[in-house]
């Protein structure tokens, strides 16, 4: 029997606010343990939560970015469970009345497009952290308690690990464009739980799902889903029932490990939090949030293709991050050759930023400097190789293109008179090669160009040299 894989994802994204969701503590990763806590986030008796307005702004923006309806009324609920990293004994979340509902985004994987519906985006607080040290003690750190999260839940619309990967990438990109999450999976600011089931092709009812946790890269999610899809098929083939369970992905062994069997929602005894009023968002609030929306990746990609004539692949790379797209467009203000600029941004600029582990926005070669450098390339004053050398030096010495080109003597010799003298000289010194060339061995052109190049110290304009040699020896 042929099976279809069905996947739904739940993404938790930590929001980049200055303070936690219900108190004034800073939600900072990496600070000394227990340096950001107060009666509210510790859940001390008598303390009361106050909702952080910026959290709502950010969640509305995310909702709008993925086409959600923004609820005028949503409600915070208590999700009760015992865990040592949850001092209050409950997590404040949203349950049956979330802030955003009914969105969707388009993704593309393996050349096929898919519309992925988003069931909801709700607000919640993060739990604290347990650190399990070597002596089998568990230590508690309150710093993460009350860090604002949005949870983005899809409908079960994904059909493969690759599609899950594409969806995650798209969501991360939107979060990053909106500037509301740093999307650092290793530090846990972006987390993903994956739900997966299989069903016979053509069946419309959903099969029993399992849940996968603990993947800390997008590739990990993709691999874990591929593994689980196969495991479920094997189970089905041998007549084994699929049990609703939660698995942990073990990246070292490349396999899933059972964590627990699934709790049901009623185990959490959700109920509206009596300490918090319903969240009322009026049209004016939504409008204000909408006014601060940046151009989103999909639209930017389409505009780059239409306006600058770059290929879809180039547009993908150039819009990967908002900062890259900005760098590209700013460079165009100084050099109009969009394809040339695109190639350089995709090449040297990204390579350097990656090597230095910094954003392109922090490079010493600013868009203005790169634009000036590429202007010299476009007018033939600088060869591509010389420009690459100049770029390296500009980046290392924090200098303008003109200064580096002058100091290093990188200007290309395009002066026909000067080149012509060298060409004649090379021809005179290599009579045997001239004979062979004239006898039809035209590939010797490379030899002549190489010799002239050498004589110019690599600064000759190869196109000019080629022309001059052809003129002198004939087309061969
Ligand atoms: P739960 O109550 O177990 O949390 P939900 O209905 O809230 O389940 O769904 C959680 C996530 O799991 C959603 O992304 C949803 O699309 C997905 N999901 C639900 N049922 C299935 C299924 N049978 N197969 C795959 N994914 C599913
Ligand atoms: Zn606090
Ligand atoms: Mg659920």
């Amino acid at each position: 029997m042929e099976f279809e894989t069905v996947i739904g994802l739940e993404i938790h994204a930590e929001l980049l606010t200055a303070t936690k969701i219900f108190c004034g503590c800073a939600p900072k990763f990496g600070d000394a343990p227990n340096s950001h806590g107060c009666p509210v986030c510790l859940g001390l008796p008598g303390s009361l939560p106050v909702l952080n307005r910026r959290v709502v702004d950010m969640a509305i923006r995310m909702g709008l970015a993925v086409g959600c309806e923004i609820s005028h009324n949503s409600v915070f609920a208590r999700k009760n469970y015992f865990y040592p990293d949850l001092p209050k004994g409950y997590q404040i979340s949203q349950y049956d009345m979330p802030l955003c509902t009914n969105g969707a985004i388009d993704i593309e994987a393996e050349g096929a497009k898919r519309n992925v519906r988003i069931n909801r985006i709700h607000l919640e607080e993060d739990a604290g952290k347990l650190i399990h040290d070597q002596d089998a003690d568990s230590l508690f750190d309150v710093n993460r308690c009350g860090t604002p999260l949005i949870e983005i839940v899809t409908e079960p619309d994904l059909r493969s690990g690759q599609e899950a990967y594409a969806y995650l990438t798209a969501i991360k990109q939107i979060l990053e464009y909106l500037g509301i999450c740093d999307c650092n999976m290793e530090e846990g600011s972006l987390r993903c739980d994956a739900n997966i089931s299989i069903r016979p092709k053509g069946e419309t009812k959903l099969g029993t799902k399992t849940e996968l946790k603990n993947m800390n890269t997008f590739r990990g999610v993709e691999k874990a889903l591929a593994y689980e899809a196969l495991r479920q098929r094997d189970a089905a083939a041998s007549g084994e029932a699929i049990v609703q369970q939660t698995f942990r992905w073990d990246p070292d062994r490349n396999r899933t490990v059972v964590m627990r069997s699934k709790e049901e929602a009623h185990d959490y005894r959700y109920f509206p939090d009596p300490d918090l009023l319903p969240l009322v968002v009026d049209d004016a609030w939504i409008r204000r949030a909408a006014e601060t929306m940046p151009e989103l990746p999909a639209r930017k990609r389409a505009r780059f293709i239409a306006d600058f004539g770059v290929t879809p692949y180039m547009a993908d790379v150039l819009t990967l991050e908002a900062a890259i797209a900005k760098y590209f467009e700013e460079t165009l203000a100084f050099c109009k050759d969009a394809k040339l600029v695109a190639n350089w941004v995709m090449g040297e600029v990204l390579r350097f930023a990656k090597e230095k582990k910094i954003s392109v926005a922090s490079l010493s070669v600013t868009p203005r400097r790169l634009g000036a450098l590429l202007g010299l390339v476009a007018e033939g004053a600088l060869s591509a190789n010389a420009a690459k050398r100049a770029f390296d030096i500009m980046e290392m010495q924090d200098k303008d293109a003109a200064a580096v080109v002058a100091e290093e003597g990188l200007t290309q010799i395009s002066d026909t008179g000067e080149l012509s003298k060298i060409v004649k000289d090379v021809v005179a010194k290599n009579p045997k090669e001239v004979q062979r060339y004239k006898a039809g061995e035209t590939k010797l052109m490379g030899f002549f160009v190489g010799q002239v190049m050498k004589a110019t110290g690599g600064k000759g304009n190869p196109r000019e040299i080629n022309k001059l040699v052809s003129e002198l020896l004939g087309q061969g």
Side-chain angles (χ1 to χ4, degrees):
M1 201 190 300
E2 226 196 306
F3 286 97
E4 171 182 58
T5 305
V6 176
I7 296 165
L9 298 183
E10 298 163 290
I11 298 178
H12 285 92
E14 284 183 357
L15 299 178
L16 282 171
T17 50
T19 55
K20 294 183 179 179
I21 182 167
F22 299 121
C23 65
C25 297
K28 278 235 191 77
F29 180 88
D31 281 3
N34 297 313
S35 55
H36 301 289
C38 74
V40 173
C41 54
L42 273 162
L44 300 189
S47 64
L48 286 172
V50 177
L51 178 60
N52 179 343
R53 174 178 275 273
R54 293 284 296 139
V55 170
V56 183
D57 287 335
M58 290 181 181
I60 294 175
R61 276 149 45 93
M62 187 60 192
L64 293 175
V66 296
C68 281
E69 294 154 28
I70 311 299
S71 311
H72 291 295
N73 283 285
S74 64
V75 169
F76 287 99
R78 290 186 180 182
K79 180 181 183 181
N80 298 277
Y81 63 97
F82 172 80
Y83 205 69
D85 65 6
L86 194 71
K88 291 200 297 288
Y90 60 85
Q91 176 190 22
I92 304 178
S93 180
Q94 293 189 308
Y95 183 50
D96 51 354
M97 293 181 72
L99 179 62
C100 313
T101 56
N102 295 325
I105 62 168
D106 289 316
I107 58 149
E108 199 175 324
E110 319 258 272
K113 289 189 170 41
R114 192 175 298 285
N115 183 257
V116 183
R117 289 168 302 156
I118 289 166
N119 171 284
R120 59 195 274 146
I121 301 177
H122 70 246
L123 295 170
E124 61 185 31
E125 60 178 344
D126 210 344
K129 216 181 221 164
L130 290 181
I131 298 144
H132 307 285
D133 74 5
Q134 279 109 332
D135 330 318
D137 291 327
S138 286
L139 306 170
F140 169 66
D141 177 8
V142 72
N143 289 359
R144 203 178 64 183
C145 269
T147 296
L149 295 176
I150 47 173
E151 179 171 339
I152 308 163
V153 184
T154 72
E155 295 292 347
D157 286 348
L158 297 156
R159 294 291 173 266
S160 66
Q162 290 96 322
E163 288 190 4
Y165 181 90
Y167 169 79
L168 283 165
T169 306
I171 290 290
K172 174 181 170 178
Q173 209 180 13
I174 294 170
L175 289 166
E176 193 258 330
Y177 268 61
L178 294 173
I180 62 176
C181 176
D182 70 16
C183 298
N184 188 330
M185 265 193 124
E186 273 150 36
E187 293 181 355
S189 30
L190 194 67
R191 309 193 281 271
C192 172
D193 298 337
N195 300 270
I196 173 169
S197 61
I198 57 169
R199 64 184 173 195
K201 267 241 158 80
E203 171 65 66
T204 50
K205 268 208 331 259
L206 291 169
T208 303
K209 72 177 160 86
T210 58
E211 190 172 352
L212 309 177
K213 287 181 179 287
N214 200 42
M215 292 89 52
N216 51 17
T217 61
F218 289 177
R219 288 293 174 206
V221 175
E222 184 181 347
K223 274 201 233 163
L225 284 166
Y227 178 92
E228 182 61 11
L230 276 181
R231 192 196 65 83
Q232 291 189 9
R233 277 175 174 74
D234 285 348
S238 60
E240 215 180 286
I242 290 168
V243 189
Q244 185 163 337
Q245 278 175 324
T246 302
F247 291 86
R248 180 172 67 76
W249 175 245
D250 182 340
D252 300 324
R253 292 190 294 161
N254 266 317
R255 53 162 300 175
T256 53
V257 186
V258 181
M259 257 170 95
R260 57 169 185 254
S261 34
K262 173 73 186 169
E263 340 47 13
E264 298 289 337
H266 61 248
D267 296 337
Y268 292 123
R269 206 169 49 93
Y270 278 101
F271 62 84
D273 191 315
D275 288 343
L276 287 157
L277 291 167
L279 171 58
V280 177
V281 174
D282 60 10
D283 286 330
W285 193 348
I286 300 171
R287 213 176 320 113
R288 280 197 306 275
E291 278 162 8
T292 65
M293 296 284 282
E295 182 182 37
L296 292 167
R299 168 161 307 176
K300 211 185 267 296
R301 209 178 295 128
R303 182 168 63 80
F304 280 10
I305 295 169
D307 289 5
F308 306 131
V310 298
T311 65
Y313 170 72
M314 284 170 142
D316 279 350
V317 179
L318 293 170
T319 56
L320 215 51
E321 291 170 22
I324 299 171
K326 183 161 176 260
Y327 188 104
F328 170 66
E329 286 205 85
E330 283 179 7
T331 307
L332 284 179
F334 302 98
C335 174
K336 299 279 171 253
D337 188 337
K339 283 239 167 87
L340 180 68
V341 172
N343 278 320
W344 272 75
V345 172
M346 291 167 66
E348 300 302 292
V349 171
L350 286 182
R351 189 173 63 73
F352 254 88
K354 201 170 159 193
E355 257 170 35
K356 288 186 146 184
K357 294 194 172 71
I358 55 173
S359 159
V360 294
S362 311
L363 287 171
S364 304
V365 180
T366 57
R368 187 181 56 76
R369 283 178 168 173
L370 178 64
L373 179 72
L374 296 185
L376 295 175
V377 175
E379 71 196 29
L382 212 56
S383 72
N385 276 335
K388 278 187 185 156
R389 254 200 77 195
F391 186 99
D392 285 11
I393 298 166
M394 287 160 69
E395 184 57 35
M396 281 179 310
Q397 300 183 1
D398 192 14
K399 282 182 180 157
D400 281 339
V404 170
V405 168
E407 281 167 24
E408 303 287 322
L410 292 172
T411 314
Q412 180 163 267
I413 307 170
S414 297
D415 175 342
T416 327
E418 194 176 337
L419 283 179
S420 163
K421 259 201 338 243
I422 303 171
V423 169
K424 279 188 191 134
D425 195 41
V426 166
V427 165
K429 277 190 191 140
N430 297 281
K432 267 198 232 115
E433 282 76 8
V434 170
Q435 225 167 36
R436 281 166 54 201
Y437 179 87
K438 286 190 166 158
E441 227 181 295
T442 49
K443 67 170 194 293
L444 278 169
M445 176 58 91
F447 164 79
F448 290 114
V449 174
Q451 290 298 307
V452 176
M453 252 333 198
K454 212 163 119 194
T456 61
K459 285 187 224 157
N461 179 334
R463 220 180 8 213
E464 281 307 316
I465 299 174
N466 225 295
K467 219 168 84 197
L468 289 168
V469 175
S470 296
E471 277 167 17
L472 204 62
L473 301 184
Q475 293 301 324

